[in-house]
Coordinates of all heavy atoms in Angstrom, one line a residue:
Chain A
S155 N 40.9 -72.5 -13.3 CA 40.8 -71.0 -12.9 C 39.4 -70.6 -12.7 O 39.0 -69.9 -11.8 CB 41.5 -70.1 -13.9 OG 41.0 -70.3 -15.2
Y156 N 38.4 -71.2 -13.5 CA 37.0 -71.0 -13.3 C 36.6 -71.5 -12.0 O 35.8 -70.9 -11.3 CB 36.2 -71.6 -14.5 CG 36.2 -70.8 -15.7 CD1 36.3 -71.4 -17.0 CD2 36.2 -69.4 -15.7 CE1 36.3 -70.7 -18.1 CE2 36.3 -68.7 -16.9 CZ 36.3 -69.3 -18.1 OH 36.4 -68.6 -19.2
L157 N 37.0 -72.7 -11.7 CA 36.6 -73.4 -10.4 C 37.1 -72.5 -9.2 O 36.3 -72.2 -8.3 CB 37.3 -74.7 -10.3 CG 36.5 -76.0 -10.6 CD1 37.3 -77.2 -10.3 CD2 35.2 -76.0 -9.8
L158 N 38.4 -72.0 -9.3 CA 38.9 -71.2 -8.2 C 38.2 -69.9 -8.1 O 38.0 -69.4 -7.0 CB 40.4 -71.0 -8.4 CG 41.3 -72.3 -8.3 CD1 42.8 -71.9 -8.4 CD2 41.0 -73.1 -7.1
A159 N 37.8 -69.3 -9.3 CA 37.1 -68.0 -9.3 C 35.7 -68.2 -8.5 O 35.4 -67.4 -7.7 CB 36.8 -67.5 -10.7
S160 N 35.0 -69.3 -8.9 CA 33.7 -69.5 -8.2 C 33.9 -69.8 -6.7 O 33.1 -69.4 -5.9 CB 32.9 -70.6 -8.9 OG 33.6 -71.8 -8.8
G161 N 35.0 -70.6 -6.4 CA 35.2 -70.9 -5.0 C 35.6 -69.6 -4.2 O 35.1 -69.4 -3.1
T162 N 36.4 -68.7 -4.8 CA 36.7 -67.5 -4.2 C 35.4 -66.6 -3.9 O 35.2 -66.1 -2.8 CB 37.6 -66.6 -5.1 OG1 38.8 -67.5 -5.4 CG2 38.1 -65.4 -4.3
G163 N 34.6 -66.6 -5.0 CA 33.3 -65.8 -4.8 C 32.5 -66.4 -3.7 O 31.9 -65.6 -2.9
A164 N 32.4 -67.7 -3.6 CA 31.5 -68.4 -2.6 C 32.1 -68.1 -1.2 O 31.4 -67.7 -0.3 CB 31.5 -69.9 -2.9
G165 N 33.4 -68.2 -1.1 CA 34.1 -68.0 0.2 C 33.9 -66.6 0.7 O 33.5 -66.4 1.9
F166 N 34.1 -65.6 -0.1 CA 34.0 -64.2 0.3 C 32.5 -63.9 0.6 O 32.2 -63.2 1.5 CB 34.5 -63.3 -0.7 CG 36.0 -63.0 -0.6 CD1 36.9 -63.4 -1.6 CD2 36.5 -62.4 0.5 CE1 38.3 -63.2 -1.4 CE2 37.9 -62.2 0.7 CZ 38.8 -62.6 -0.3
A167 N 31.6 -64.4 -0.3 CA 30.2 -64.0 -0.1 C 29.7 -64.4 1.3 O 29.1 -63.6 2.0 CB 29.4 -64.7 -1.2
I168 N 29.9 -65.7 1.6 CA 29.4 -66.1 2.9 C 30.1 -65.5 4.1 O 29.5 -65.2 5.1 CB 29.4 -67.7 3.0 CG1 28.4 -68.2 4.1 CG2 30.8 -68.2 3.2 CD1 27.0 -68.3 3.6
T169 N 31.4 -65.2 3.9 CA 32.2 -64.7 5.0 C 31.8 -63.2 5.3 O 31.6 -62.8 6.4 CB 33.7 -64.8 4.7 OG1 34.0 -66.1 4.3 CG2 34.5 -64.4 5.9
V170 N 31.8 -62.4 4.2 CA 31.6 -61.0 4.4 C 30.2 -60.7 5.0 O 30.1 -60.0 6.0 CB 31.6 -60.3 3.0 CG1 31.1 -58.9 3.1 CG2 33.1 -60.2 2.5
D171 N 29.2 -61.4 4.6 CA 27.8 -61.1 5.1 C 27.7 -61.7 6.5 O 27.1 -61.0 7.4 CB 26.7 -61.7 4.2 CG 26.4 -60.7 3.1 OD1 26.1 -59.6 3.4 OD2 26.5 -61.1 1.9
T172 N 28.2 -62.8 6.8 CA 28.1 -63.4 8.2 C 29.0 -62.6 9.2 O 28.6 -62.4 10.3 CB 28.5 -64.9 8.2 OG1 28.2 -65.4 7.0 CG2 27.8 -65.6 9.3
K173 N 30.2 -62.1 8.7 CA 31.1 -61.4 9.5 C 30.4 -60.0 9.9 O 30.6 -59.5 11.0 CB 32.4 -61.1 8.7 CG 33.6 -61.0 9.6 CD 34.8 -61.0 8.7 CE 35.7 -59.9 9.2 NZ 36.1 -60.0 10.6
R174 N 29.7 -59.4 9.0 CA 29.0 -58.2 9.3 C 28.0 -58.4 10.4 O 27.9 -57.6 11.3 CB 28.1 -57.8 8.0 CG 28.8 -56.8 7.2 CD 27.9 -56.0 6.3 NE 26.9 -56.8 5.7 CZ 25.6 -56.4 5.4 NH1 25.3 -55.2 5.7 NH2 24.8 -57.3 4.8
L175 N 27.3 -59.5 10.4 CA 26.3 -59.8 11.5 C 27.0 -60.0 12.8 O 26.6 -59.5 13.8 CB 25.5 -61.0 11.1 CG 24.5 -60.9 9.9 CD1 23.8 -62.2 9.7 CD2 23.5 -59.8 10.2
T176 N 28.1 -60.9 12.8 CA 28.7 -61.2 14.0 C 29.5 -60.0 14.6 O 29.7 -59.9 15.8 CB 29.7 -62.4 13.9 OG1 30.6 -62.1 12.8 CG2 28.9 -63.7 13.5
D177 N 30.1 -59.2 13.7 CA 30.8 -58.0 14.2 C 29.9 -57.0 14.8 O 30.3 -56.3 15.8 CB 31.6 -57.4 13.1 CG 32.9 -58.1 12.7 OD1 33.1 -59.1 13.5 OD2 33.6 -57.8 11.8
A178 N 28.6 -56.9 14.3 CA 27.7 -55.9 14.8 C 27.0 -56.3 16.1 O 26.6 -55.5 16.9 CB 26.6 -55.6 13.8
D179 N 26.9 -57.6 16.4 CA 26.2 -58.1 17.5 C 27.1 -58.4 18.7 O 28.0 -59.2 18.7 CB 25.5 -59.5 17.1 CG 24.4 -59.8 18.1 OD1 24.4 -59.4 19.2 OD2 23.5 -60.5 17.6
P180 N 26.9 -57.6 19.9 CA 27.8 -57.8 21.0 C 27.8 -59.2 21.6 O 28.7 -59.5 22.4 CB 27.3 -56.7 22.0 CG 26.0 -56.2 21.5 CD 25.9 -56.6 20.1
V181 N 26.7 -60.0 21.3 CA 26.6 -61.3 21.9 C 27.9 -62.1 21.5 O 28.4 -62.9 22.3 CB 25.4 -62.1 21.3 CG1 25.4 -63.6 21.6 CG2 24.1 -61.4 21.9
F182 N 28.4 -61.9 20.3 CA 29.5 -62.7 19.7 C 30.8 -62.3 20.3 O 31.8 -62.9 19.9 CB 29.5 -62.6 18.2 CG 28.2 -63.3 17.6 CD1 27.3 -62.5 17.0 CD2 28.1 -64.6 17.7 CE1 26.1 -63.1 16.5 CE2 26.9 -65.2 17.2 CZ 26.0 -64.5 16.5
E183 N 30.9 -61.3 21.2 CA 32.1 -60.9 21.8 C 32.6 -62.0 22.7 O 33.8 -62.2 22.9 CB 32.0 -59.6 22.5 CG 32.5 -58.4 21.7 CD 32.2 -57.1 22.4 OE1 32.1 -57.0 23.6 OE2 31.9 -56.1 21.6
L184 N 31.7 -62.7 23.3 CA 32.1 -63.7 24.4 C 32.7 -64.9 23.8 O 33.5 -65.5 24.4 CB 30.8 -64.0 25.2 CG 30.2 -62.8 25.9 CD1 28.9 -63.1 26.6 CD2 31.2 -62.2 26.9
I185 N 32.1 -65.3 22.6 CA 32.7 -66.6 22.0 C 33.6 -66.2 20.9 O 33.6 -65.1 20.4 CB 31.5 -67.5 21.6 CG1 30.5 -66.7 20.8 CG2 30.9 -68.2 22.8 CD1 29.4 -67.6 20.2
D186 N 34.4 -67.2 20.5 CA 35.4 -67.0 19.5 C 34.9 -67.0 18.0 O 35.7 -67.3 17.1 CB 36.5 -68.0 19.6 CG 37.2 -67.9 21.0 OD1 37.2 -66.8 21.5 OD2 37.7 -68.9 21.5
I187 N 33.6 -66.7 17.8 CA 33.1 -66.9 16.5 C 33.6 -65.9 15.5 O 33.7 -66.2 14.3 CB 31.5 -66.9 16.5 CG1 31.0 -67.7 15.3 CG2 31.0 -65.5 16.6 CD1 29.6 -68.1 15.5
R188 N 34.1 -64.7 16.0 CA 34.6 -63.8 15.1 C 36.0 -64.3 14.5 O 36.3 -64.0 13.4 CB 34.9 -62.4 15.8 CG 33.6 -61.7 16.1 CD 33.8 -60.4 16.7 NE 32.6 -59.8 17.1 CZ 32.5 -58.7 17.9 NH1 33.6 -58.1 18.3 NH2 31.3 -58.2 18.2
E189 N 36.7 -65.0 15.4 CA 38.0 -65.5 14.9 C 37.8 -66.6 13.8 O 38.5 -66.7 12.9 CB 38.6 -66.2 16.1 CG 40.2 -66.3 16.0 CD 40.7 -67.1 17.2 OE1 40.4 -66.8 18.4 OE2 41.4 -68.1 16.9
F190 N 36.6 -67.3 14.0 CA 36.3 -68.3 12.9 C 36.1 -67.6 11.6 O 36.7 -68.1 10.6 CB 35.0 -69.0 13.3 CG 34.4 -70.0 12.4 CD1 34.9 -71.3 12.4 CD2 33.5 -69.6 11.4 CE1 34.4 -72.2 11.5 CE2 33.0 -70.5 10.5 CZ 33.5 -71.9 10.5
Y191 N 35.4 -66.5 11.5 CA 35.2 -65.8 10.3 C 36.5 -65.1 9.8 O 36.7 -64.9 8.6 CB 34.0 -64.9 10.3 CG 32.7 -65.8 10.3 CD1 31.9 -65.9 11.4 CD2 32.4 -66.5 9.2 CE1 30.8 -66.7 11.4 CE2 31.3 -67.3 9.1 CZ 30.5 -67.4 10.3 OH 29.4 -68.2 10.2
D192 N 37.3 -64.7 10.7 CA 38.6 -64.0 10.3 C 39.5 -65.1 9.6 O 40.1 -64.8 8.6 CB 39.3 -63.5 11.5 CG 38.8 -62.2 12.0 OD1 38.1 -61.6 11.3 OD2 39.0 -61.9 13.2
K193 N 39.5 -66.3 10.2 CA 40.3 -67.3 9.5 C 39.7 -67.7 8.1 O 40.5 -67.9 7.2 CB 40.3 -68.6 10.4 CG 41.4 -68.5 11.5 CD 41.5 -69.9 12.1 CE 42.5 -69.9 13.2 NZ 42.6 -71.2 13.9
A194 N 38.4 -67.8 8.1 CA 37.8 -68.1 6.8 C 38.1 -67.0 5.8 O 38.4 -67.3 4.6 CB 36.3 -68.2 6.9
Y195 N 38.2 -65.8 6.2 CA 38.5 -64.6 5.4 C 40.0 -64.8 4.8 O 40.2 -64.6 3.7 CB 38.5 -63.3 6.2 CG 38.0 -62.1 5.5 CD1 36.7 -61.8 5.4 CD2 39.0 -61.3 4.9 CE1 36.3 -60.7 4.7 CE2 38.6 -60.2 4.2 CZ 37.2 -59.9 4.1 OH 36.8 -58.7 3.5
A196 N 40.9 -65.2 5.8 CA 42.3 -65.4 5.4 C 42.4 -66.5 4.3 O 43.1 -66.4 3.3 CB 43.1 -65.8 6.6
S197 N 41.6 -67.6 4.5 CA 41.6 -68.7 3.6 C 41.1 -68.3 2.2 O 41.7 -68.6 1.2 CB 40.8 -69.8 4.1 OG 40.8 -70.9 3.2
A198 N 40.0 -67.5 2.2 CA 39.5 -67.0 0.9 C 40.4 -66.0 0.2 O 40.5 -66.1 -1.0 CB 38.1 -66.3 1.2
S199 N 41.2 -65.2 1.0 CA 42.1 -64.3 0.4 C 43.3 -65.1 -0.3 O 43.7 -64.7 -1.4 CB 42.7 -63.4 1.4 OG 41.7 -62.7 2.2

Side-chain angles (χ1 to χ4, degrees):
Chain A
S155 57
Y156 283 140
L157 260 185
L158 296 186
S160 65
T162 308
F166 275 115
I168 198 81
T169 309
V170 167
D171 276 307
T172 329
K173 213 171 131 55
R174 264 201 314 151
L175 293 180
T176 55
D177 283 356
D179 198 335
V181 168
F182 294 110
E183 263 173 30
L184 300 173
I185 49 175
D186 297 331
I187 204 158
R188 286 182 188 172
E189 205 185 309
F190 178 84
Y191 286 108
D192 283 341
K193 275 192 183 173
Y195 214 91
S197 179
S199 307

